[in-house]
Amino acid sequence: MEIAPGLHAVNLRGARGFAVCEREITLIDAGLSGSRRRLERYLAGIGRSMTDLRRIVCTHAHPDHIGGAREMTVGTDAEVLLHPADIDGLRVGLREAWSERDRSKLLAFFTRGPHAATPVHNGDVVPALGGLEVIHTPGHTPGSICLYGARDRILFTGDMLQVLRGRVTFASRFFSADMPQARASVAGLSERDVQTIAFAHYPAWTDDANAALARLARRAEAMAARA
């Protein structure tokens, strides 16, 4: 589904990806392993192909966002972009994850990552949609990032935000590595002028997105003060 000129929401396995279809194609999040066929079918339907895929930006290294990246790079020139904190996290060994009984590390151990990943850092700009600013928002995972497109006033949040009971709220506590840090990261998002919030698992939010982000930032500050 085209949600803005050249920007397509694609239902992959386990999550929604966003294909920016310009001269080159940039994919934001890659779904679970097995998602390549779904992306191929979608691109064929709009007259494009996997050979146009130049980069895959993964908002974080959970299986439903990075699992399909490896297969999507086969036979293409696409590179996978990921924050270095999550690149490091994918190297965790079973002994370390099991001995610490760390849910996030166990998940990382069982995640099938790409063959190689190029690190992206806070403040980097991905050449798509007029320039997508990388915002490091640790907490859901150590290397979680959001992407902000100033031209279209759109914010891609991965799983840093979710929608519950009709309201934008913080990331899932169960799946987050550091919930206080995840809440604190919202402050950086509220500093941008946002018209549309694009989620991986929910419909896009366009109902006064700036107010929703500001409200979350105030909640995070209040919760930190009480801690």
Side-chain angles (χ1 to χ4, degrees):
M1 177 177 64
E2 190 170 21
I3 61 175
L7 175 61
H8 299 255
V10 184
N11 290 324
L12 304 175
R13 292 192 64 232
R16 182 179 295 111
F18 295 93
V20 182
C21 296
E22 299 170 326
R23 184 177 63 84
E24 301 173 332
I25 294 177
T26 298
L27 179 67
I28 301 171
D29 284 330
L32 289 165
S33 178
S35 289
R36 176 174 174 135
R37 183 168 294 180
R38 294 191 181 191
L39 180 60
E40 284 178 327
R41 285 200 301 263
Y42 188 92
L43 293 179
I46 61 172
R48 303 297 295 267
S49 75
M50 291 294 291
T51 58
D52 298 324
L53 185 63
R54 177 64 185 84
R55 64 189 62 83
I56 303 167
V57 189
C58 295
T59 58
H60 60 291
H62 279 171
D64 55 339
H65 291 258
I66 200 170
R70 180 181 297 196
E71 66 204 46
M72 289 178 184
T73 60
V74 175
T76 74
D77 293 325
E79 62 175 343
V80 179
L81 308 181
L82 185 65
H83 192 275
D86 274 9
I87 294 176
D88 290 342
L90 289 172
R91 300 188 181 112
V92 67
L94 180 59
R95 178 174 296 179
E96 176 188 353
W98 183 252
S99 64
E100 296 181 19
R101 298 296 194 274
D102 187 302
R103 184 190 302 120
S104 295
K105 289 185 177 180
L106 282 168
L107 185 60
F109 174 77
F110 288 107
T111 297
R112 189 170 185 259
H115 292 294
T118 301
V120 288
H121 303 84
N122 187 63
D124 287 351
V125 176
V126 177
L129 287 182
L132 290 173
E133 177 193 2
V134 175
I135 308 170
H136 185 208
T137 49
H140 186 60
T141 65
S144 287
I145 62 170
C146 294
L147 298 168
Y148 174 61
R151 187 191 70 188
D152 300 296
R153 299 170 61 205
I154 187 167
L155 179 69
F156 300 91
T157 63
D159 286 351
M160 265 301 298
L161 299 176
Q162 58 179 333
V163 178
L164 294 178
R165 294 181 290 277
R167 298 185 70 179
V168 179
T169 191
F170 303 112
S172 163
R173 178 183 295 274
F174 183 82
F175 289 107
S176 293
D178 187 328
M179 198 62 204
Q181 190 177 46
R183 289 194 293 263
S185 288
V186 174
L189 302 180
S190 67
E191 297 169 358
R192 273 72 180 180
D193 180 19
V194 179
Q195 182 179 59
T196 302
I197 304 174
F199 306 93
H201 301 286
Y202 306 91
W205 185 277
T206 57
D207 184 13
D208 202 348
N210 281 329
L213 294 171
R215 182 174 59 249
L216 276 186
R218 291 193 297 270
R219 279 183 59 197
E221 184 178 1
M223 294 170 79
R226 292 195 299 267

